[in-house]
Amino acid sequence: MVSKESCRNEIRTAIGQLSERCLHSAAKWAGEQLVGIEQDPSNSTPSNTRFQRGSSSIRRRFSTNESITTPQPSVGFSQAATPLPEEDEVIDGDLYHLAKSYFNCREYRRASHVLRDQMSKKSVFLRCYSLYLAGEKRKEEEMIELEGSLGKSDAINRELVSLERELSALKRTGEIDSFGLYLYGVVLKEKGNETLARASLVESVNSYPWNWNAWSELQSLCTSIEILNSLNLSNHWMKEFFLASAYQELRMHTESLAKYEYLQGIFSFSNYIQAQTAKAQYSLREFDQVEIMFEDLLRNDPYRVEDMDLYSNVLYAKEACAALSYLAHKVFLTDKYRPESCCIIGNYYSLKGQHEKAVMYFRRALKLNKKYLSAWTLMGHEYVEMKNTPAAIDAYRRAVDINPCDYRAWYGLGQAYEMMGMPFYALHYFRKSIFFLPNDSRLWIAMAKCYQTEQIYMLEEAIKCYKRAVSCTDTEGIALNQLAKLHQKLGRDEEAAVYFEKDVERMDSEGLEGPNMLEALVFLATHFKTHKKFEEAEVYCTRILDYSGPEKEKAKSLLRGIRMEKTGFPSMDMEHFPL
Amino acid sequence: MAGLTRTAGAFAVTPHKISVCILLQLYAPSAQMSLPFPFSSISQHNRLGLYLLSLTKSCDDIFEPKLENLINQLREVGEDMDAWLTDHLTNRFSSLTSPDDLLNFFNDMRGILGSLDSVAAQDDQIILDPNSNLGMFVRRCILAFNLLSFEGVCHLFTSIEVYCREAHSSSAQYDASNDNLGSLIQHDQMDMEKYIMDKATEEIELQKNASGRVPFHLHTPEALFKVTEGLLVTRKEKSRTNTKKAEATQLACASSSTVNDTLVDESLFLRTNYQIQGFLMEQADAIETHGSSLSSSSIESFLQKLQNLAPELHRVHFLRYLNKLHSDDYFAALENLLRYFDYSAGTEGFDLVLPSTGCSMYGRYEIALLCLGMMHFRFGHPNLALEVLTEAVRVSQQHSNDTCLAYTLAAMSNLLSEMGIASTTSVLGSSYSPVTSTASLLSVQQRVYILLKESLRRADTLKLRRLVASNHLAMAKFELMHVQRPLLSFGPKASVRHKTCPVSVCKEIRLGAHLLSDFSAESSTMTIDGSLSSVWLKDLQKPWGQPVFSQESGSRKSSTFFQFCDHLVSIPGSVSQIIGASYLLRATSWELYGSAPMARMNTLVYATLFGDSSSSSDAELAYLKLIQHLALYKGYKDAFAALKIAEEKFLTVSKSKILLLKLQLLHEHALHRGNLKLAQRMCNELGGLASTTMGVDMELKVEASLREARTLLAAKQYSQAANVAHSLFCTCHKFNLQIEKASVLLLLAEIHKKSGNAVLGLPYALASISFCQSFNLDLLKASATLTLAELWLGLGSNHAKRALDLLHGAFPMILGHGGLELRARAYIFEANCYLSDPSFSVSTDSDTVLDSLRQASDELQALEYHELAAEAFYLMAMVYDKLGRLEEREEAATLFKKHITALENPQDEEPNMA
């Protein structure tokens, strides 16, 4: 286990270095982790620890006090041999400060201009970085200005070419630091040279592991587990963060959860880890748990917008209208032009059945971020609700084209086609979605239903699907019932009985009653009677007697029959001889 | 609907248009002089006017010329004042230093327009009529500019800078521009190089055709066209480049930077949706025609570019699907097909969708099913295909899309007839569509018939001429192969006439070919959007020889409209494909009915007239037929030579039938030469080509076992051969393969004949004859008659007379249409008959016998059929011996010996084919 103290020291130094280079989001991330570390009890009064969660002002004061006192490099850090780099330059001082201020005021070109003749690594990095951002900003603007009639918008970052030239030259001469390598990786990635980009990013994180930006760029380049495993990363606790997030993206949720659990040992109060854990739990469909986690998260960090769309999904799934509206209102006040906010509002309207409005908000979210996957999928759902299947299909298809692993969109496509009476065509899409999420009973059930439609009517295949659904712990209990019925339909009473029994067992354990139960009981009673297993038959018959209706009469007559066969005598009327 | 294409082709101001405006300003300056300053004569002035007119007309093109091209053209037009013109142009451009200058420029432009109502202009005044072509152009430019936002103006400004800079750089030296080019196209250098070469050759051709003149009219649109089309062009042309290389490369620089430019720069691309669709349609045709001989990656790279340019143009996905389909990439094809239909809902760019029927709220996903079904069919998943097509039928009915239904039914019948699915009940039993549900009781053939009829009826009412035609052809095919029988026969009326009906085949083929006349009669209604605009594009390809801006320019066709008319009477590719198919079908039917010359003629007609427009598989079939003909009538040497050519041509085609043909020929050849081991191997390989699924590839399987039986027969393993033939007959019966039955029966007769069991053979021969009669298989019947006669003779020489009579009855057919082998056999048999006839004396009538034998031996030598040839020479020697002509006897005897030794020691001297 890495010592908390060393982590804290590392991060503290890193935050300084990152914000010095205007890598604000990385600094933000590091800061979050820093306060996420449990405070050293020796250094802090009990009141401080008590207030650690929830009282940010105290925490901040506390940490600033300390960071001034201990800027020394980490000592006794066993796992990583990465020394914190020395801050090399003090020389470029004035100009650098000016450039930094420009940068912070989002005047990127100005910032890079100020640093035009500075040769120190730090200045070079900031110059290139601001140039890159200037190009990105222009690109975004152009994308809207240039939107062509057939959707053409191939605006590019015009600084990429020169940046690549410069950075590669620096790399060749070895005058590049890990931040430069990070930027080089980003530029290469934008230019579509993924292998080189990966190499450059790996080099960057190996020499300076605290730059979360570099890690997340690297993670976006790891599209398969093979690529991930092939990376040559030196050990550091930051690597654990990276792996956890990479596993999550590769849908290896349990592995990811394990990593986060480990990290939580050090960063016990990290909001980030909590949100990520919630994300993983969400994928495992542990909604109750996720809801609690998010509530907790919001209590500590009430103005958080990140990942809140996920929370809204949970609330949606739980049909918690009020909570969802509260959340929507809150994020709306915090920052209404965030894709997440729009998505949450869209979810709210969707839950309220106002699908047109929902679509409008999803559209807005997509306007803000064209590649916002879940908005496309959710919009598809809305269109399905509005019975506008072609539009739904279009939306789903876009989601799938952005990320071919999005099983929800594949599933949506399948559903849309099934709705249009094309079950055979839909099967392909269901198969796709199952390929990406083989452990979800809902998908298997959807596919089974497709096979069951009268147009296709391939019952054997349907049975296979339901079996898979059962093995994936089908929570809604459709599969068992359907399996039993299908077997019954195909005249395989033995199998049918087995599944009915299982179904009854399940309903008993969940305390469910209903027509399904009655049906199962009646079948089982008659089945066991015909097979001369009178004990079982009697048990089921007596259970039926609890219900009213025609079944009760049937049960009675069954019981009579059982008696008769058991004793070999003609039975007497039950009414007359109550037991 | 989110994914539908927005109409493209809005008029946008581009640097090129500004150039034209500048020139227009020169042509009609607002100061109204009778002849503006630089012009020395009225004709010079007019010439510029004509030039400008053509420029404005072509301003909607896919690509616009670069400034450099424009300057080159100006040089041609301007003659002595060219320097002044170009100087003015470049100066004017360099004076545009800020967006404000642009604003002023367009304000000035307004000045050169005359006022709308001033009709009474003085004669010598130059006023641009606002309603004239040029005036309209100016007005459109001004309007488009006024609509621009400030950002738009800024973009225009930067693109003007690029426009001028490029002209400067490319007017620099060749080397410099080459460097520049290198930096311009960093990625996909290779592709660009290809384009450059093609472009270069094309430019040269254009220049040649225009006899040195600059072919000014729209030569840049071809750049795009050539981007892909050029790749199809054979590379032969490259050799011609050397003379004008430097110049060509310059031009190429310009054009390639155009291509490159559109990738990075907006606004230059995309004229109308219409045109792009047409262009894509053209590409689709090309993919189909050339099959997988086309490099799929080059198309892919082009499509990638197009997709970058127009992400909302979903038809690109369809083209990619076609491309993948033809390069046999199942997964990619499926993926792209689904993507296309997901995005377009089947409503974009499909000519099945009549605009009048409107695209319903529900999209047209039934077309997706239809395409998917055909795709599965092509990839060899008949059951899957049938499932999908059944669903297509259902959905079409549900959405009452009769057009799609008709096509689907046709596809279904095609599928059924090609695959001949054995136990269709299991497949179709599940479907509840009215067409198929009644059909579960019927045989596949009957089902095909119903489907075809149904499809034909719908197509007829919907006036889908091409579908009608192809349905007629399918019907002809069906009639050709299948016995007419009432669909449901009950009771004692079972004695139905089992007969194919050549008349109805002929009728159907003729009906199919009516398509042609239909097209020429009312062509205008038949042109669908895509072909129209692609025709237009094609026109662009043809350089006009006439001098365009000479004085008598009125002789030129003044607008593209007339060219449309020109083209409407010509036949669209799909139509000529169907007509071509009808000729192929004719050839096949003649083949079956037994007229070799007619079959050959029809194939030749096809190969010569429709070879260009045919799909690669059809062309392959034609080659196949011709080669088979050669083998039968000219011997193997010619056939193998031809096969070699065909192999080069078609080997890349997927599921090539050439391999099959090769195996057949080799087998035949080996059998004749007595190389039984080789024959057996070929036979096995042939069987290996067939799919292992029951009921699929039946024809191939039948063929393989037929050949196996023949090989066994040649190896004198009679009982085994008979066994194979018997089981084959059972298979044929099971799958209702009537024609094959006849030949199997004949083979059985043959086996019994060879095994010396003539009595047993007779009934088979007779049965075969009766089969042939009912199916109108004349040639096969003749050959069966020959076998029958042989069997009679085998019963004893006292039957020689009867045998001879039979033979003479069949002789006309055999000699007229039979192949070498059959004819030789008949000759030898005739001689045999005579010789065994006790009433025949050799000494008096030797010539009758010798003539036939000589004929036979000649033909057999061409065929290298050692066994029969030996027999012929043996007989010949015997006759000579009887006649006492010793020298000739010796000669015949040596030849006999040669053939016998060749037969007994078959060397593996395969003509480097196997």
Side-chain angles (χ1 to χ4, degrees), chain B residues 83-111:
Chain B
W84 194 86
L85 279 176
T86 45
D87 278 354
H88 182 83
L89 194 63
T90 43
N91 286 341
R92 195 77 186 81
F93 267 120
S94 49
S95 72
L96 294 173
T97 51
S98 70
D100 184 52
D101 294 333
L102 270 177
L103 216 68
N104 292 334
F105 173 75
F106 276 99
N107 273 337
D108 293 347
M109 282 307 290
R110 205 169 295 180

Side-chain angles (χ1 to χ4, degrees), chain A residues 145 150 152 154 401 417 424, chain B residues 155 263 309 342-343 391:
Chain A
E145 288 167 20
L150 278 165
K152 175 196 167 216
D154 52 351
D401 277 349
Y417 278 112
F424 201 80
Chain B
H155 281 292
L263 293 179
L309 290 168
D342 284 347
Y343 276 134
E391 189 157 290

Side-chain angles (χ1 to χ4, degrees), chain B residues 343-392:
Chain B
Y343 276 134
S344 69
T347 44
E348 185 195 299
F350 246 93
D351 52 333
L352 309 191
V353 185
L354 301 170
S356 57
T357 54
C359 84
S360 61
M361 173 76 172
Y362 306 106
R364 304 215 156 264
Y365 294 99
E366 56 271 20
I367 302 175
L369 287 167
L370 174 57
C371 288
L372 185 65
M374 294 202 281
M375 190 195 90
H376 281 312
F377 177 31
R378 196 191 145 92
F379 280 117
H381 309 296
N383 286 7
L384 213 52
L386 204 56
E387 256 327 319
V388 174
L389 287 178
T390 317
E391 189 157 290

Side-chain angles (χ1 to χ4, degrees), chain B residues 557-615:
Chain B
K557 287 169 186 161
S558 56
S559 76
T560 44
F561 174 71
F562 290 113
Q563 285 137 34
F564 282 144
C565 294
D566 254 12
H567 272 278
L568 288 181
V569 284
S570 80
I571 305 145
S574 55
V575 174
S576 72
Q577 236 178 52
I578 293 174
I579 311 271
S582 86
Y583 276 96
L584 266 187
L585 192 60
R586 260 172 232 216
T588 317
S589 59
W590 280 120
E591 228 167 59
L592 276 179
Y593 293 145
S595 171
M598 289 300 276
R600 184 162 161 269
M601 196 188 74
N602 277 308
T603 321
L604 278 175
V605 166
Y606 175 82
T608 44
L609 291 185
F610 301 97
D612 303 335
S613 56
S614 65
S615 72

Side-chain angles (χ1 to χ4, degrees), chain B residues 619-620 623-624 627 639-653 656 658 661:
Chain B
E620 188 191 41
Y623 269 75
L624 218 77
I627 293 171
F640 278 125
L643 182 63
K644 207 157 203 172
I645 299 168
E647 255 188 328
E648 274 165 24
K649 200 166 160 154
F650 295 110
L651 211 58
T652 50
V653 176
S656 175
I658 291 286
L661 175 70

Side-chain angles (χ1 to χ4, degrees), chain A residues 283-300:
Chain A
S283 310
L284 295 171
R285 311 193 54 73
E286 305 283 350
F287 288 153
D288 297 317
Q289 216 174 324
V290 177
E291 196 185 357
I292 294 167
M293 292 173 100
F294 271 118
E295 276 169 12
D296 195 32
L297 200 59
L298 267 187
R299 213 172 301 126
N300 295 319

Side-chain angles (χ1 to χ4, degrees), chain A residues 93-104:
Chain A
D94 303 343
L95 282 176
Y96 192 82
H97 282 304
L98 179 63
K100 218 175 110 185
S101 334
Y102 280 147
F103 186 99
N104 288 342

Side-chain angles (χ1 to χ4, degrees), chain B residues 667 671 676 679-680 683 705-725 751:
Chain B
H667 177 252
L671 267 191
L676 295 181
Q680 187 59 43
C683 203
S705 40
L706 200 65
R707 280 176 191 276
E708 191 189 343
R710 281 178 54 199
T711 318
L712 287 170
L713 176 61
K716 300 205 167 42
Q717 292 170 322
Y718 301 118
S719 62
Q720 283 181 42
N723 279 343
V724 172
I751 292 169

